[in-house]
Amino acid sequence: MTKAHLSPVFEAFLRQGAGMFVAARLAPTERGHAEAYHLFMAPAPGSVIVDLGCGSGQCGELLKEIDPSLEVINVVNDAGLIDYMNGKGRVCVNASFEDVPLPSKIADYVMCNEAIGHGDLDNVLQEAYRLLKAGGVMVIKDFSITDQEKEKLDLHAWRYQARQPSEFVAAAYRNGFSVQTLLHPPM
């Protein structure tokens, strides 16, 4: 099931039967989390969603269970996760989410769930902007720093950088987006 490139974090979760890694879960179950996420994102029927840094692809699968008309394209560059998704029949593109070999303006939504800290913020947002159709929506669910005394949260064991909400907002504006919603739901 897994190859050497499968990150230890995902390997442990998959071994324990988890299909989705959600450190900042919006509900007690994966299905409930996906329902809350779907409600927040509110994709129109038939929407194309590109999931940058999709992990195991489970979030997209759950979104498609909620609305079977959705098309989800998973993007990840981990050989073990790609094998896992291929085994599940999930559509997956093997690529860095900073350089996705998909046509421009393909997506109604681009989502990045607890993955954007693995890339350069500006590069990821530039690529998301390129992938989105006019009027498309970028949805980022990520760790954020709520302690105003801290500027950075170092998750170096995961090679991940959590950022202040203000960094996301500034980068969004720098890369052509407007910011409509910024939430800190209770965990």
Side-chain angles (χ1 to χ4, degrees):
M1 176 175 93
T2 62
K3 288 190 174 179
H5 297 312
L6 183 63
S7 79
V9 173
F10 278 103
E11 187 173 14
F13 274 88
L14 292 173
R15 263 197 329 266
Q16 294 172 23
M20 178 170 57
F21 174 56
V22 268
R25 193 183 293 267
L26 302 173
T29 66
E30 290 186 352
R31 173 67 186 212
H33 171 85
E35 289 169 350
Y37 194 73
H38 182 270
L39 185 65
F40 171 76
M41 189 166 51
S47 292
V48 174
I49 301 170
V50 174
D51 187 354
L52 298 180
C54 66
S56 67
Q58 184 68 19
C59 187
E61 285 303 301
L62 290 169
L63 290 173
K64 289 189 327 186
E65 284 179 18
I66 294 165
D67 180 351
S69 75
L70 298 176
E71 177 184 350
V72 178
I73 302 170
N74 298 296
V75 178
V76 73
N77 64 353
D78 181 288
L81 289 170
I82 291 164
D83 282 353
Y84 177 83
M85 282 187 281
N86 286 337
K88 297 280 189 181
R90 296 177 183 159
V91 176
C92 183
V93 176
N94 180 357
S96 161
F97 51 76
E98 297 175 355
D99 185 22
V100 182
L102 291 173
S104 296
K105 305 199 182 313
I106 191 173
D108 299 291
Y109 296 84
V110 170
M111 64 182 187
C112 203
N113 299 303
E114 298 172 16
I116 202 163
H118 287 296
D120 177 86
L121 188 56
D122 284 304
N123 290 344
V124 174
L125 289 174
Q126 286 170 14
E127 189 65 353
Y129 193 84
R130 182 190 71 79
L131 292 168
L132 283 166
K133 298 174 184 175
V137 176
M138 172 79 183
V139 179
I140 300 169
K141 185 178 102 28
D142 202 57
F143 310 101
S144 64
I145 303 164
T146 56
D147 183 343
Q148 296 303 314
E149 299 295 315
K150 294 182 180 179
E151 291 183 18
K152 302 272 185 228
L153 177 61
D154 184 18
L155 300 173
H156 67 277
W158 293 355
R159 290 184 229 122
Y160 199 92
Q161 181 178 348
R163 297 174 172 95
Q164 292 280 3
S166 60
E167 291 178 78
F168 286 108
V169 172
Y173 283 115
R174 277 195 309 273
N175 290 287
F177 290 95
S178 63
V179 178
Q180 296 178 350
T181 308
L182 181 66
L183 295 176
H184 276 280
M187 294 295 119

